[in-house]
Amino acid sequence: MDTLCHIRDIQRAIIAYEQKLIREHELTLNEAMLLCSLSRSEQLASGEIAELLGLTCSNTSKVISSVEKKRLIRRLLGKKDKRQMYFSLTKEGWQRLDTIRSKEIALPDELSRLLEFFEQKEPYQTNY
């Protein structure tokens, strides 16, 4: 039962963080995580984005579309396969990400403790 209560507290902290992110940067958590993911790669396919964000393909498509409308990412045709779409940050996307990084949003205590715990462990792995 304690585990469920801890997960509830973490979920509430993530929701509170996302609300601040929306107010201060006009981006949802998934949109901001998309920018962060693209900043670490030259370009990504939608399937790669879905995997990195832990979203379904349908939800990923919605997040990509929303961020595209904000002109923060651009769509690129694959060089080998013209049917394949890739995404990369625009100049505006890099600027928005820099703004987010320079104006850090205070983390709720529950998330701060978790991040401290993870930072003490080995480098973060995305393979589950």
Side-chain angles (χ1 to χ4, degrees), residues 15-79:
I15 290 167
Y17 182 83
E18 181 174 33
Q19 289 169 345
K20 290 178 186 177
L21 187 63
I22 291 168
R23 273 194 313 276
E24 294 182 25
H25 300 288
E26 298 178 351
L27 290 172
T28 66
L29 187 56
N30 284 329
E31 291 169 342
M33 290 191 309
L34 170 56
L35 298 183
C36 178
S37 297
L38 287 172
S39 75
R40 295 180 177 184
S41 300
E42 187 174 319
Q43 59 186 25
L44 294 170
S46 61
E48 294 170 315
I49 293 169
E51 187 176 324
L52 284 170
L53 299 184
L55 300 174
T56 64
C57 290
S58 175
N59 284 341
T60 301
S61 179
K62 291 173 186 172
V63 172
I64 288 171
S65 177
S66 175
V67 177
E68 267 185 307
K69 287 177 185 170
K70 295 175 183 182
R71 300 176 188 245
L72 302 176
I73 63 171
R74 70 176 146 265
R75 203 174 277 255
L76 307 164
L77 289 176
K79 292 178 183 174

Side-chain angles (χ1 to χ4, degrees), residues 109-123:
D109 290 341
E110 296 85 355
L111 293 180
S112 291
R113 286 193 299 272
L114 270 177
L115 288 178
E116 287 172 13
F117 172 77
F118 285 120
E119 287 171 356
Q120 293 172 4
K121 295 178 136 295
E122 293 294 318

Side-chain angles (χ1 to χ4, degrees), residues 3-21:
T3 300
L4 286 175
C5 291
H6 290 304
I7 290 171
R8 179 209 58 214
D9 293 343
I10 293 166
Q11 182 180 28
R12 290 177 67 195
I14 291 170
I15 290 167
Y17 182 83
E18 181 174 33
Q19 289 169 345
K20 290 178 186 177
L21 187 63

Side-chain angles (χ1 to χ4, degrees), residues 84-122:
Q84 182 67 49
M85 288 290 169
Y86 291 92
F87 301 90
S88 67
L89 290 172
T90 62
K91 182 180 177 183
E92 294 85 359
W94 282 105
Q95 289 171 343
R96 181 72 65 91
L97 195 54
D98 287 343
T99 299
I100 292 169
R101 289 175 174 159
S102 69
K103 296 180 179 179
E104 282 289 326
I105 296 172
L107 288 174
D109 290 341
E110 296 85 355
L111 293 180
S112 291
R113 286 193 299 272
L114 270 177
L115 288 178
E116 287 172 13
F117 172 77
F118 285 120
E119 287 171 356
Q120 293 172 4
K121 295 178 136 295
E122 293 294 318

